[in-house]
Amino acid sequence: MPHSEEQDKECELRRLEESIQDRPEDPSLRFELGVLLWEDDEKEKAAEQFVVAAKLNPEIEKGGAFRYLGLYYAGLESQSHAQRALKCLQKAVSLNPDDSVSGEALCDLLDQQRKETLEVAVCREASQKSPRAFWAFQRLGYLQLHQNKCSEAVHSLQHAIRGYPTSPVLWEALGLAYQRLGRFTAALKSYGRAIELEGTRIFSLIESGNIYLMLGSYKKGVEAFQQALEFSPKSVSAHYGLSSGLLGLAKECINLGAFRWGATVLEEASKVAWTSTHLAGNMSSIWKLHGDILLTYAKCYPWMEEDHGLEFDVDAFNNSILSWKHTCCLAAKTARCSYQRALHLAPWQANAYSDIAVTSNFIYSLDNSSGHDSSSWQPSEKMALGALLLEGDNSEFWVGLGCLSNHNALKQHALIRGLQLNVSLAVAWAFLGKLYRKQGEKQFARQAFDCARSIDPSLALPWAGMSADSHSRESAADEAYESCLRAVQIFPLAEFQIGLAKLALVSGHLSSSQVFGAIKQAMQHAPHYPECHNLNGLVSEAQSNYQSAAVSYRLARCAITNLSGSDTKSQMKDITVNLARALCKAGNALDALQECELLKKEGLLDAESSQIYAFSLWQLGQTDLALTVARNLAECVSAMEQASAAAAVILFSRFLYYISGLDSTINNILQMPKQWFQSSKFSLIVSAIHALDQRNRLRPVGLSIRNNLKTPEEITEMFFLLALGTLVKHGSEYRLGYQKGIDHIRKSLHMYPNSSLLRNLLGYLLLSSEEWKNTHMATRCCRIGTDPIKGGFKMAYEILGAGAVACYAVGNSNPKFSYPTCSYQCLNEPQTIQHLQKCLRQEPWNQNVRYLLVLNLVQKAREERFPRHLCIILRRLIIVALSDELYHKPGISFRYMKFQLLLCASEICLHDGYVIDCINHANDASMITLPDAYLFFAHLLLCRAYASEGDAVNLNREYIRCLELRTDYNIGWLCLKFIESRYELKTGLDTLELSFKECSKEMKNSSNMWMALFNLVQGLMSISSQDTSSAEGFLSQACSLAGAESTLLLCHGATCMELSRLGYDSQFLSLAVRSLTKAQEASLIPLPIVSALLAQAEGSLGSREKWEKNLRLEWPTWPPEMRPAELFFQMHLLAKQSKASTDTSSIEFCQSPQGWVLRAIHTNPSCMRYWKALQKLVE
């Protein structure tokens, strides 16, 4: 039976005592006995043994005896014993610096006796003696951190971590040292390691959160504080940090324009801060933070616009404004109470007075219905003076008083006093400039703004002041707009944003996305300002969103009813005029007429509203009354301003033309007073009417009014109209004189080469002429700029997009999919899709850009064989485009765009294998009301869809339907010819051939090319039916019609070689050489296969040199990744024939003949001819 543990110890004790009796001078036995007694808690007896052992051998067990003696004396409560403990532990550490127990005990004793210097000395001495004295480095790092010697502490703590890598306290201390040194990234890593080792390290979590807040990473900071609160729900520091982090996160949202999101975050921050006030209600900083959160919430809380439509409740709008004001006022008043509580706890804090002053002023700006006596002191002024009583030399408090005071003299005194204390205070100069401008001292204001801007260019107010002071500076409207835009970008204040929209109205930037975003933000913060809604309506109107504009004008009229003042009647009149105009443009002529009747009833019908009145009558079919109103308006031009007078006369002339016709309009113009022709705008209208007159009755008037055109813009507009006149007067009954118009525009561009109006017109005419050589030139005429070009038939991006679709070679830049063969192609415009995408990002509401982007992407997909990713993108774009209400409007252009989108959707479905969807889309397209020439293509697509399913009955039906509808576009007949030949669709008549020839005759300059293409199609069909002889005849005729067209020449040459191979007359080989040589010379970029076929033909005629030459020319025509196996095999033949040559620089010498054959086999291992050639080479 084994002995128990107690019995073992007793046996060991007796053994040691007996051994000591035998050897009393042996220190090791004394030490072992002392350790055994120490473990049995007989420390006094153990100490006796340790004393004897130490006397016999002080270095026994590396000073272990002194360690136990030091611990024994340290446990005795006596001053003398404490001194003994110190001496023993010092001796132990000196003998063994690595002894952490002795070292820690020694440092604890020194710490209790407040001997910090000695403690540092002991740790430093131990660390110097041994690099493994990790306890010394640890203790030294803590002491150095306590003494704020952070650089030394970092070194000590890093060394200590090598010994204790899993100590979270060490990592936490190292993080604190890094944090104090400003090395925040390293501090975050150290704190993170401490948290990994012990997830409940509250100090590390809180300090990590504080660092994240300092670095601006508010989201990570909030997460750290939330994690700290999970372990310590009542931590005041964690609550305070979380509130601060949420406040910073909310400000980030506000700066991004996400006001609603920011307000939601601030609501959460307010709850956390309120909780912290219950935990530590006697801390003024917590109350101040709570006030800051609520004041920010009051300033950022947005008014949300509801979707009212054209009819909405006025009371609901007013209630929403009152609710918004009530929410903001309540938050601001609660913030003021929090600031007052902070002031009560710390009345010596001057900032508390300043905070209360700012909050009181904000409350007054929201709730000023009760009014205040301007002669009395406002609460905000009193509190600002309270801050100055505590810190009279604080320049910022003087500026605060200057901003909050309602007395101009006190304002000026306070701002100047602030500048006396700090002349570099930019904000003081800015508000002083604002004060001077308000008093009419524009020169002083300009100087003050210049000083502020030179000191701090990032301050918004000087830039805004510069834009408001544009009239006194005589600067352009664009300069004022740019200055105000800079102010809005720096500080998006509602007043600045409203000013930006006003300047955009003057400078013509209303359609800018920056103005759109600015006015939308202004509406959220100043919904009670009528001009805010009015300007939003103008911005919507500039984007052709007339229904939204009408809604905004109605909101503005509701907002103005809550204002009082002498100017409200004038504002109401302007808003009503804007509303009538928007309703008229939106097609709601009846409501527009009612608004004009209301103005007429109140006697406010001026020139502009009279024009809207007349136009509304004309839209409603009351033409006689509309003409009467326009005539009465024109008779009163002498009492109008020049711009209004010109508009009145122009409107009358236009109505006269639409209602009474061209002859009546010309007669009235000839009878008009001469002074009316002095207006440049009316001169242009006269020129437009003259352009439509075949008899040139206004020619004398037209020559005289040209002297009234002064600016380059007006002169280019005149050339624009003259070109249109040339189109009309030199055209036939069914076709305009495009070539004459193109020649006229080209001459005009020599005088004004930078005119975008003329360039766009030239591009439009080149596209409209439908001539073979003109399409590629259209894209070279237009220039894509940052701003849309006003005027003209089409924008530059529309011409570029349409040209890229009309001329396939314009966007064809990747030989991986197809090789460019057009000699007229414009290779410098392959970026059409990128331009259109950029335009769509700038104007996401522009459906014309989206439509052109879809067409160009379909073109790209067709070139790349309809890849999967492009088809997915196209389907999404088409769905978005078709969902727009634009395509439901009346008008053939909208129906045609919808027709094209449906055809694109059908094409994508056909290539994706969704034949049923393809047929549905094509049927939907065929049901649109369009001319038969367009509907032809819907039924052509149905032919292809039914052919892919093998549905012969429906295929034949749609084929006959295409013949019945007919089309004016040659490409349609060519496609139908392919289908007819492939599926053997015959009606017994030559309807298709006759229709194609009739269609081609209208294309005077391109008729030969289209007939050549028709012969090409017939030749290809003959080849597919193995009638090579007939194919050669068709292709020969095509080459004679088209001239030097490389594609046709290649087809003809290949066909002649095939006839020669089949044993026909040897002259076909000569014909092949002639055609292939012409194709080689005509190619803008060398085409593959041409040189290879030519080499084969020359070789058949016995010309070895020409065979070698053309075979070498074939090699660079192929991209490396597309070279076929036969090319490698031909190079092997060339290498074999050229072995005796001394010139080794040719391409065939880069490999041996066997190497060429191996490459051919690697490319096409199924060809037995290559394997046989390899076998012969090996043998």
Side-chain angles (χ1 to χ4, degrees):
M1 182 176 180
H3 298 287
S4 64
E5 187 176 352
E6 290 79 5
Q7 292 174 342
D8 290 342
K9 286 184 178 180
E10 289 178 1
C11 292
E12 182 67 20
L13 182 61
R14 285 195 299 268
R15 185 189 67 78
L16 288 173
E17 287 176 349
E18 292 174 356
S19 298
I20 289 172
Q21 289 176 0
D22 295 337
R23 291 177 290 170
E25 301 299 327
D26 190 346
S28 60
L29 294 174
R30 298 278 183 177
F31 183 79
E32 289 180 12
L33 180 58
V35 171
L36 191 59
L37 292 171
W38 186 275
E39 291 176 354
D40 285 344
D41 205 18
E42 296 182 11
K43 296 184 178 180
E44 186 175 354
K45 292 180 180 180
E48 293 175 357
Q49 298 297 325
F50 288 135
V51 170
V52 176
K55 288 179 180 180
L56 294 173
N57 184 8
E59 296 183 1
I60 188 172
E61 294 294 331
K62 294 183 180 180
F66 289 105
R67 177 177 69 243
Y68 283 107
L69 286 172
L71 295 175
Y72 170 71
Y73 291 132
L76 301 177
E77 297 180 0
S78 171
Q79 184 66 28
S80 60
H81 289 117
Q83 294 300 323
R84 290 179 182 177
L86 283 175
K87 291 179 181 180
C88 291
L89 291 172
Q90 284 177 343
K91 185 65 174 176
V93 171
S94 64
L95 291 173
N96 184 14
D98 298 342
D99 188 357
S100 60
V101 178
S102 300
E104 291 289 349
L106 177 59
C107 290
D108 289 340
L109 282 174
L110 292 174
D111 188 57
Q112 292 173 7
Q113 297 177 12
R114 299 182 180 179
K115 296 179 180 180
E116 187 175 308
T117 306
L118 184 57
E119 186 179 357
V120 172
V122 169
C123 294
R124 183 170 281 116
E125 182 182 359
S127 63
Q128 290 172 355
K129 285 183 178 181
S130 174
R132 297 186 61 80
F134 299 114
W135 67 269
F137 286 103
Q138 178 181 6
R139 198 72 178 219
L140 183 59
Y142 292 158
L143 291 169
Q144 289 168 340
L145 186 59
H146 174 67
Q147 295 171 356
N148 206 23
K149 298 178 181 179
C150 298
S151 298
E152 299 175 8
V154 166
H155 174 72
S156 300
L157 293 169
Q158 285 177 338
H159 201 106
I161 285 174
R162 296 174 188 173
Y164 311 114
T166 59
S167 173
V169 180
L170 266 177
W171 284 104
E172 192 172 79
L174 181 61
L176 181 59
Y178 280 134
Q179 184 178 355
R180 290 181 179 177
L181 288 172
R183 298 168 64 179
F184 298 119
T185 304
L188 286 173
K189 291 181 180 178
S190 298
Y191 286 137
R193 180 57 178 158
I195 295 168
E196 287 179 8
L197 294 170
E198 186 180 338
T200 59
R201 302 299 300 182
I202 304 299
F203 181 83
S204 295
L205 288 168
I206 291 176
E207 291 304 319
S208 296
N210 289 330
I211 293 174
Y212 280 127
L213 297 190
M214 292 176 63
L215 297 176
S217 299
Y218 299 107
K219 188 175 181 180
K220 291 183 178 179
V222 167
E223 292 173 354
F225 288 122
Q226 287 174 340
Q227 190 176 352
L229 284 174
E230 290 179 3
F231 302 111
S232 181
K234 294 186 178 181
S235 172
V236 178
S237 299
H239 278 93
Y240 187 89
L242 180 57
S243 302
S244 302
L246 290 171
L247 175 60
L249 184 61
K251 288 181 178 179
E252 273 190 350
C253 299
I254 294 168
N255 292 334
L256 293 173
F259 300 111
R260 188 72 223 177
W261 187 12
T264 304
V265 175
L266 286 171
E267 289 173 1
E268 183 181 353
S270 176
K271 294 177 182 177
V272 177
W274 183 250
T275 303
S276 62
T277 60
H278 289 81
L279 295 172
N282 57 348
M283 294 178 64
S284 61
S285 58
I286 293 178
W287 287 103
K288 174 175 168 49
L289 178 61
H290 185 249
D292 291 341
I293 292 170
L294 288 174
L295 182 59
T296 307
Y297 179 78
K299 289 182 177 180
C300 86
Y301 184 75
W303 174 79
M304 302 304 293
E305 181 183 8
E306 298 179 1
D307 188 11
H308 299 287
L310 288 177
E311 300 294 335
F312 62 95
D313 190 358
V314 177
D315 293 334
F317 170 74
N318 292 332
N319 290 335
S320 68
I321 297 294
L322 292 175
S323 175
W324 170 77
K325 279 189 175 184
H326 174 73
T327 303
C328 295
C329 282
L330 182 61
K333 289 177 180 178
T334 309
R336 183 171 61 182
C337 293
S338 296
Y339 287 137
Q340 290 171 343
R341 179 63 176 169
L343 179 62
H344 176 74
L345 293 170
W348 57 87
Q349 291 287 345
N351 286 329
Y353 288 93
S354 180
D355 291 334
I356 296 173
V358 172
T359 309
S360 299
N361 185 68
F362 179 74
I363 294 171
Y364 171 70
S365 66
L366 285 175
D367 188 16
N368 56 358
S369 57
S370 58
H372 292 281
D373 186 3
S374 59
S375 62
S376 62
W377 288 86
Q378 306 301 327
S380 57
E381 295 173 322
K382 295 177 182 179
M383 298 308 295
L385 287 173
L388 286 171
L389 288 175
L390 292 174
E391 297 183 21
D393 58 347
N394 191 319
S395 58
E396 295 182 357
F397 290 161
W398 282 105
V399 174
L401 177 61
C403 297
L404 298 174
S405 177
N406 291 325
H407 303 81
N408 290 337
L410 181 58
K411 272 180 175 288
Q412 184 174 357
H413 170 74
L415 293 171
I416 292 175
R417 178 57 181 159
L419 289 171
Q420 289 174 349
L421 294 170
N422 184 3
V423 73
S424 298
L425 201 58
V427 67
W429 285 110
F431 279 103
L432 191 61
K434 181 181 178 182
L435 176 63
Y436 284 145
R437 192 181 184 284
K438 186 177 180 181
Q439 293 177 347
E441 300 288 345
K442 295 186 178 180
Q443 184 177 358
F444 289 154
R446 184 164 61 252
Q447 293 174 356
F449 285 139
D450 289 340
C451 288
R453 196 164 51 253
S454 61
I455 295 171
D456 185 5
S458 64
L459 198 62
L461 184 55
W463 293 102
M466 180 180 176
S467 64
D469 203 29
S470 60
H471 296 294
S472 63
R473 287 175 177 258
E474 299 181 357
S475 60
D478 287 338
E479 182 183 348
Y481 170 79
E482 293 296 334
S483 298
C484 194
L485 179 60
R486 178 74 177 272
V488 169
Q489 290 172 344
I490 295 172
F491 184 51
L493 191 66
E495 286 76 8
F496 294 168
Q497 292 166 334
I498 292 173
L500 178 67
K502 290 181 178 179
L503 290 170
L505 177 62
V506 177
S507 58
H509 293 88
L510 268 182
S511 59
S512 169
S513 58
Q514 294 168 321
V515 178
F516 175 78
I519 200 63
K520 287 296 184 182
Q521 289 186 5
M523 283 179 58
Q524 292 180 328
H525 287 111
H528 53 298
Y529 289 175
E531 60 266 29
C532 192
H533 298 285
N534 188 35
L535 290 168
N536 183 47
L538 292 172
V539 170
S540 300
E541 206 171 340
Q543 297 173 353
S544 302
N545 192 354
Y546 302 118
Q547 290 189 355
S548 297
V551 172
S552 297
Y553 293 138
R554 291 182 188 275
L555 292 175
R557 192 158 62 179
C558 290
I560 205 171
T561 56
N562 299 324
L563 297 180
S564 59
S566 57
D567 197 38
T568 55
K569 187 174 182 180
S570 174
Q571 292 182 17
M572 179 68 80
K573 173 225 167 186
D574 293 338
I575 293 171
T576 305
V577 171
N578 291 338
L579 175 59
R581 184 181 62 251
L583 290 170
C584 193
K585 290 181 178 180
N588 198 349
L590 185 59
D591 288 348
L593 183 63
Q594 292 176 357
E595 298 295 336
C596 293
E597 293 284 358
L598 180 63
L599 289 172
K600 183 178 180 181
K601 182 179 180 181
E602 297 179 358
L604 300 175
L605 200 66
D606 59 2
E608 181 182 1
S609 52
S610 296
Q611 295 177 42
I612 300 171
Y613 185 37
F615 193 75
S616 301
L617 290 169
W618 179 71
Q619 282 186 314
L620 292 172
Q622 303 180 27
T623 54
D624 294 338
L625 187 55
L627 188 60
T628 302
V629 173
R631 181 179 284 108
N632 294 336
L633 189 62
E635 292 173 354
C636 302
V637 295
S638 58
M640 300 180 189
E641 297 179 357
Q642 185 175 359
S644 300
V649 175
I650 290 170
L651 181 68
F652 172 65
S653 302
R654 293 181 66 180
F655 276 173
L656 199 61
Y657 173 77
Y658 284 117
I659 296 173
S660 301
L662 182 64
D663 294 336
S664 177
T665 305
I666 293 174
N667 294 332
N668 276 272
I669 289 175
L670 293 173
Q671 297 174 7
M672 288 180 180
K674 299 298 182 183
Q675 61 270 20
W676 288 13
F677 297 98
Q678 295 177 359
S679 169
S680 59
K681 292 184 178 180
F682 183 65
S683 300
L684 293 174
I685 288 294
V686 173
S687 300
I689 295 174
H690 172 60
L692 300 172
D693 183 22
Q694 296 281 358
R695 292 185 287 172
N696 293 327
R697 285 169 289 180
L698 291 177
R699 182 177 180 83
V701 178
L703 293 174
S704 63
I705 63 177
R706 292 181 188 177
N707 297 325
N708 299 328
L709 306 177
K710 305 296 182 185
T711 64
E713 290 78 12
E714 294 173 348
I715 296 173
T716 53
E717 288 179 7
M718 176 62 72
F719 281 121
F720 179 88
L721 293 171
L722 290 175
L724 296 184
T726 305
L727 285 174
V728 174
K729 294 172 184 178
H730 292 84
S732 62
E733 183 179 358
Y734 301 104
R735 187 175 178 82
L736 295 173
Y738 286 108
Q739 194 57 46
K740 291 290 184 180
I742 291 170
D743 295 339
H744 189 278
I745 290 294
R746 282 175 172 165
K747 292 179 182 178
S748 303
L749 275 174
H750 285 294
M751 291 183 284
Y752 296 94
N754 296 322
S755 172
S756 298
L757 183 66
L758 296 179
R759 282 180 168 276
N760 290 353
L761 178 61
L762 179 58
Y764 178 70
L765 294 181
L766 288 170
L767 284 176
S768 303
S769 65
E770 300 177 4
E771 292 295 337
W772 190 269
K773 299 180 181 181
N774 288 345
T775 306
H776 75 281
M777 298 173 59
T779 57
R780 300 162 70 179
C781 299
C782 57
R783 293 178 178 177
I784 299 294
T786 54
D787 297 325
I789 303 301
K790 300 292 188 291
F793 290 126
K794 298 294 179 182
M795 303 292 187
Y797 68 82
E798 293 179 297
I799 297 169
L800 181 65
V805 174
C807 181
Y808 178 73
V810 170
N812 181 10
S813 59
N814 193 346
K816 178 180 178 181
F817 303 106
S818 58
Y819 290 90
T821 58
C822 178
S823 58
Y824 305 106
Q825 62 186 322
C826 182
L827 296 178
N828 61 341
E829 285 293 342
Q831 305 297 326
T832 306
I833 292 177
Q834 286 81 351
H835 285 310
L836 292 173
Q837 288 173 333
K838 182 179 179 181
C839 291
L840 188 61
R841 284 194 297 270
Q842 292 176 345
E843 298 181 0
W845 56 84
N846 195 326
Q847 290 299 325
N848 286 334
V849 179
R850 195 183 304 276
Y851 168 74
L852 289 170
L853 180 59
V854 169
L855 296 185
N856 278 270
L857 284 174
V858 171
Q859 183 91 311
K860 180 180 176 66
R862 183 181 291 112
E863 178 187 348
E864 298 182 6
R865 311 294 189 268
F866 291 90
R868 180 73 177 169
H869 70 281
L870 266 183
C871 292
I872 294 173
I873 293 172
L874 276 166
R875 276 201 295 271
R876 292 175 180 174
L877 276 174
I878 293 172
I879 290 172
V880 173
L882 289 174
S883 64
D884 194 88
E885 296 180 357
L886 177 72
Y887 302 114
H888 300 288
K889 292 183 179 180
I892 190 172
S893 61
F894 301 117
R895 295 197 299 271
Y896 179 75
M897 292 169 71
K898 184 178 181 180
F899 174 78
Q900 286 286 3
L901 290 172
L902 287 170
L903 289 187
C904 290
S906 181
E907 184 78 16
I908 297 300
C909 292
L910 180 61
H911 286 276
D912 270 356
Y914 304 116
V915 181
I916 295 177
D917 291 339
C918 167
I919 294 173
N920 292 335
H921 287 310
N923 280 324
D924 291 341
S926 66
M927 299 301 292
I928 298 176
T929 306
L930 285 173
D932 292 345
Y934 297 150
L935 297 178
F936 172 92
F937 290 93
H939 292 277
L940 179 66
L941 192 52
L942 285 170
C943 286
R944 294 170 56 201
Y946 289 127
S948 66
E949 283 196 320
D951 189 345
V953 175
N954 285 320
L955 171 61
N956 191 66
R957 187 191 70 219
E958 295 299 334
Y959 169 75
I960 295 173
R961 183 61 178 153
C962 288
L963 294 177
E964 293 173 352
L965 290 172
R966 305 171 65 84
T967 184
D968 299 331
Y969 299 96
N970 306 72
I971 190 65
W973 293 114
L974 289 177
C975 294
L976 192 63
K977 181 65 178 177
F978 267 110
I979 296 174
E980 178 191 82
S981 301
R982 182 171 182 178
Y983 298 101
E984 299 179 355
L985 302 173
K986 294 293 183 181
T987 59
L989 301 173
D990 292 334
T991 307
L992 196 152
E993 288 80 358
L994 294 174
S995 299
F996 182 86
K997 291 178 181 179
E998 183 182 350
C999 182
S1000 300
K1001 288 180 182 178
E1002 297 181 6
M1003 304 291 183
K1004 295 181 180 179
N1005 297 332
S1006 304
S1007 59
N1008 287 340
M1009 180 57 72
W1010 283 113
M1011 291 306 301
L1013 286 177
F1014 190 78
N1015 284 305
L1016 172 65
V1017 171
Q1018 289 182 305
L1020 294 176
M1021 294 301 102
S1022 298
I1023 290 174
S1024 64
S1025 61
Q1026 299 183 350
D1027 187 359
T1028 312
S1029 178
S1030 300
E1032 191 276 331
F1034 287 125
L1035 293 172
S1036 176
Q1037 189 174 358
C1039 291
S1040 64
L1041 289 171
E1045 188 63 37
S1046 57
T1047 306
L1048 298 176
L1049 291 167
L1050 171 61
C1051 292
H1052 181 252
T1055 305
C1056 290
M1057 289 189 67
E1058 179 65 15
L1059 288 172
S1060 177
R1061 188 186 68 82
L1062 293 175
Y1064 283 77
D1065 195 343
S1066 60
Q1067 67 174 353
F1068 286 110
L1069 202 57
S1070 301
L1071 290 175
V1073 170
R1074 189 191 320 165
S1075 296
L1076 292 171
T1077 303
K1078 288 182 180 180
Q1080 194 180 58
E1081 295 171 352
S1083 300
L1084 181 67
I1085 296 176
L1087 290 178
I1089 303 175
V1090 174
S1091 297
L1093 289 177
L1094 185 58
Q1096 186 176 353
E1098 295 286 5
S1100 301
L1101 291 174
S1103 177
R1104 176 178 172 179
E1105 292 181 358
K1106 291 182 179 180
W1107 173 75
E1108 293 180 354
K1109 173 188 173 183
N1110 286 291
L1111 206 53
R1112 291 190 184 101
L1113 290 175
E1114 179 69 16
W1115 177 261
T1117 62
W1118 290 90
E1121 69 277 6
M1122 296 181 63
R1123 286 177 181 139
E1126 185 62 28
L1127 182 59
F1128 297 125
F1129 187 77
Q1130 293 294 325
M1131 297 307 293
H1132 127 267
L1133 296 176
L1134 186 59
K1136 284 177 63 178
Q1137 295 294 328
S1138 305
K1139 280 184 178 179
S1141 176
T1142 59
D1143 184 14
T1144 58
S1145 61
S1146 300
I1147 184 64
E1148 66 268 18
F1149 292 108
C1150 68
Q1151 288 192 39
S1152 64
Q1154 184 177 343
W1156 286 114
V1157 175
L1158 287 173
R1159 291 188 66 178
I1161 292 173
H1162 178 75
T1163 307
N1164 183 14
S1166 62
C1167 182
M1168 296 303 299
R1169 188 161 57 98
Y1170 302 159
W1171 290 100
K1172 292 177 181 179
L1174 180 62
Q1175 185 177 4
K1176 290 180 180 180
L1177 289 172
V1178 172
E1179 292 174 354

